[in-house]
């Protein structure tokens, strides 16, 4: 029998990209256990995620991780104790999504447990809700990751309006591509972040993209080309390039672009509550400057810890239980949608 609403236990499953993640969540905020297996090392030598390799690795890891997440949660009988299975059903890589969804469906049938498909972006929005009891809509959510740069108006939980997104590359994608050009490996974000802290952001003049369009929109591909030209010219002329300075200059332009458009979204809506999530939200420079801006502008800012910014299954469980309690259901016909949108 299902327990009282606040005590429901949800198994979250996330396999949309290159992290196999599972979590058990009690209610909306009580994390019983959370495990992640990152595939970074396997993809690093290719400078980006190789979809075929990603799905094979999810397939290898998902059952051992399921055992780990149950063992470390303190629950005894998953069939009896788990009330809901929440699984990422899109957007993402189809082969990767299929591993999570098929596993969730098999468990749902074996345990006779309800299942719900969760949107990965809604998951990132819920990364903040999963760790903050006091956060309630309306708020502006900036989701900045390897696949997304979206500014979303969260009118209510489950009710979203896209205020703006990127015209081309996502912010994290630009980090990853620049890192690849400089031979810094994958993912580029953490290493560029580290090098940037030792460089001079004024050494190369990189433009802040679309800063004066008056619209909430981003473009990172021009910035990537400008940085690529600097790298190429230095190779041609033999003038040595200080990687730290390029990283600092690139990071400065990305942060300025994000801050300028977040500010515009806050002004346009008049909302004073802001959440940030997605892999790029773990960037140290962005976190520092956004905190400063929030203080100046008197915004209430919610920034989860870096491990909740990057892909994880706690956020999927949290979005899943909330959607379930709002009356949404999936069934065994659930199939992944690689380009699922929530607006
Ligand atoms: O949210 P996430 O784990 O996966 C996606 O849904 O994309 O984000 C991964 C992205 C990668 O592009 C990675 O380079 C970027 O987040 N990232 C960072 C940092 N840590 C991860 N970007 C900038 N600074 C960081 N510290
Ligand atoms: Zn993500």
């Amino acid at each position: 029998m299902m327990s009282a609403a606040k005590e429901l236990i949800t198994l979250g499953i996330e396999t949309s990209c290159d992290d196999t993640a599972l979590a058990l969540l009690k209610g909306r905020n009580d994390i019983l256990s959370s495990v992640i297996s990152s595939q970074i090392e396997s993809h690093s030598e290719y400078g980006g995620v190789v979809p075929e390799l990603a799905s094979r690795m999810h397939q290898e890891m998902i059952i051992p991780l399921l055992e780990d997440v149950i063992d470390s949660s303190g629950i005894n009988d998953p069939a009896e104790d788990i009330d809901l299975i929440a699984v990422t059903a899109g957007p993402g890589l189809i082969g990767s999504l299929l591993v999570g969804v098929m596993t969730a469906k098999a468990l749902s049938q074996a345990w006779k447990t309800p299942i719900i498909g969760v949107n990965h972006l809604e998951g990132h929005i819920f990364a903040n809700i999963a760790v903050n009891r006091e956060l309630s809509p309306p708020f502006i959510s900036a989701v900045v990751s390897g696949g997304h740069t979206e500014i979303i108006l969260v009118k209510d939980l489950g009710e979203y309006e896209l205020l703006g997104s990127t015209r081309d590359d996502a912010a994290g994608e630009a980090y990853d591509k620049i890192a690849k050009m400089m031979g810094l490996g994958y993912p580029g974000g953490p290493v560029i972040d580290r090098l940037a802290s030792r460089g001079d952001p004024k050494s190369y003049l990189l433009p802040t993209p679309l800063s004066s369009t008056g619209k909430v929109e981003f473009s990172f591909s021009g910035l990537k080309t400008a940085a690529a030209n600097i790298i190429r010219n230095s190779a041609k002329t033999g003038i040595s390039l200080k990687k730290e300075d390029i990283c600092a200059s690139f990071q400065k332009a990305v942060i300025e672009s994000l801050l300028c458009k977040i500010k515009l979204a806050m002004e346009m809506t008049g909302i004073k509550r802001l959440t940030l999530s997605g892999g790029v939200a773990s960037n140290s420079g962005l976190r520092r400057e956004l905190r400063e801006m929030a203080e100046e502008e008197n915004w209430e800012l919610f920034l989860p810890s870096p491990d909740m910014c990057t892909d994880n299954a706690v956020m999927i469980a949290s979005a899943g239980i909330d959607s379930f309690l709002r009356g949404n259901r999936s069934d065994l016909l659930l199939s992944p949608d690689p380009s699922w949108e929530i607006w």
Side-chain angles (χ1 to χ4, degrees):
M1 209 183 81
M2 215 169 258
S3 31
K6 73 177 184 2
E7 299 198 299
L8 289 184
I9 293 182
T10 305
L11 170 66
I13 302 179
E14 157 63 38
T15 63
S16 68
C17 190
D18 60 342
D19 291 301
T20 320
L22 288 98
L24 280 160
L25 186 74
K26 190 173 181 182
R28 285 167 89 210
N29 306 84
D30 187 1
I31 302 167
L32 300 180
S33 56
S34 172
V35 295
I36 298 185
S37 167
S38 165
Q39 305 175 356
I40 279 176
E41 273 182 29
S42 309
H43 296 288
S44 187
E45 61 178 296
Y46 305 103
V49 177
V50 182
E52 166 85 18
L53 182 60
S55 27
R56 283 169 187 265
M57 294 191 76
H58 286 306
Q59 176 72 29
E60 267 172 41
M61 289 312 299
I62 198 158
I63 298 302
L65 283 175
L66 176 66
E67 285 169 3
D68 284 357
V69 82
I70 291 170
D71 288 350
S72 52
S73 70
I75 67 167
N76 300 316
D77 180 352
E80 183 62 27
D81 298 339
I82 295 175
D83 301 296
L84 177 68
I85 299 166
V87 60
T88 305
L93 300 169
I94 185 67
S96 293
L97 290 166
L98 272 167
V99 177
V101 169
M102 293 309 292
T103 306
K105 291 207 280 189
L107 292 173
S108 166
Q109 197 163 29
W111 294 343
K112 307 276 177 284
T113 303
I115 180 173
I116 187 152
V118 172
N119 182 286
H120 183 78
L121 266 205
E122 189 171 23
H124 275 301
I125 296 171
F126 270 79
N128 278 287
I129 292 170
V131 293
N132 284 298
R133 280 171 204 277
E134 68 274 30
L135 173 58
S136 62
F139 57 87
I140 300 295
S141 178
V143 180
V144 193
S145 71
H148 298 275
T149 311
E150 256 104 25
I151 308 285
I152 301 149
L153 166 58
V154 180
K155 296 177 183 169
D156 204 345
L157 299 179
E159 213 184 309
Y160 309 107
E161 183 185 329
L162 179 66
L163 298 177
S165 63
T166 179
R167 289 185 185 180
D168 39 61
D169 293 348
E173 193 179 353
Y175 267 97
D176 295 338
K177 287 180 177 169
I178 302 264
K180 190 176 179 181
M181 281 180 227
M182 291 200 284
L184 299 174
Y186 170 84
V191 56
I192 291 184
D193 192 6
R194 220 167 25 248
L195 290 172
S197 67
R198 302 200 298 265
D200 175 7
K202 295 198 190 83
S203 50
Y204 297 98
L205 201 64
L206 292 173
T208 307
L210 309 179
S211 58
S212 53
T213 62
K215 284 191 200 158
V216 180
E217 57 180 350
F218 302 94
S219 168
F220 295 106
S221 104
L223 196 53
K224 185 191 65 195
T225 311
N229 286 339
I230 295 171
I231 297 165
R232 254 183 242 121
N233 284 343
S234 109
K236 254 192 238 152
T237 55
I239 299 169
S240 77
L241 183 84
K242 211 175 152 211
K243 283 185 177 170
E244 287 84 351
D245 288 345
I246 283 267
C247 291
S249 306
F250 167 74
Q251 178 150 306
K252 174 174 172 275
V254 173
I255 293 176
E256 271 174 12
S257 167
L258 291 169
L259 292 188
C260 144
K261 299 302 182 179
I262 287 173
K263 190 169 178 197
L264 183 60
M266 302 298 277
E267 283 168 359
M268 276 166 51
T269 56
I271 290 175
K272 295 274 200 182
R273 195 173 299 141
L274 171 69
T275 71
L276 187 68
S277 53
V280 181
S282 54
N283 183 271
S284 61
L286 177 60
R287 294 172 81 87
R288 188 178 55 246
E289 294 197 29
L290 196 59
R291 279 202 185 99
E292 281 168 19
M293 183 177 256
E295 203 164 317
E296 270 165 33
E297 300 288 334
N298 221 2
W299 299 337
E300 205 183 341
L301 174 65
F302 293 85
L303 256 179
S305 60
D307 60 325
M308 285 297 290
C309 290
T310 44
D311 288 347
N312 65 84
V314 170
M315 68 186 198
I316 302 301
S318 178
I321 186 61
D322 202 87
S323 175
F324 184 77
L325 293 174
R326 277 184 267 122
N328 296 321
R329 302 284 181 270
S330 301
D331 57 27
L332 293 179
L333 294 178
L334 175 67
S335 67
D337 177 354
S339 46
W340 181 11
E341 287 187 350
I342 45 171
W343 27 80

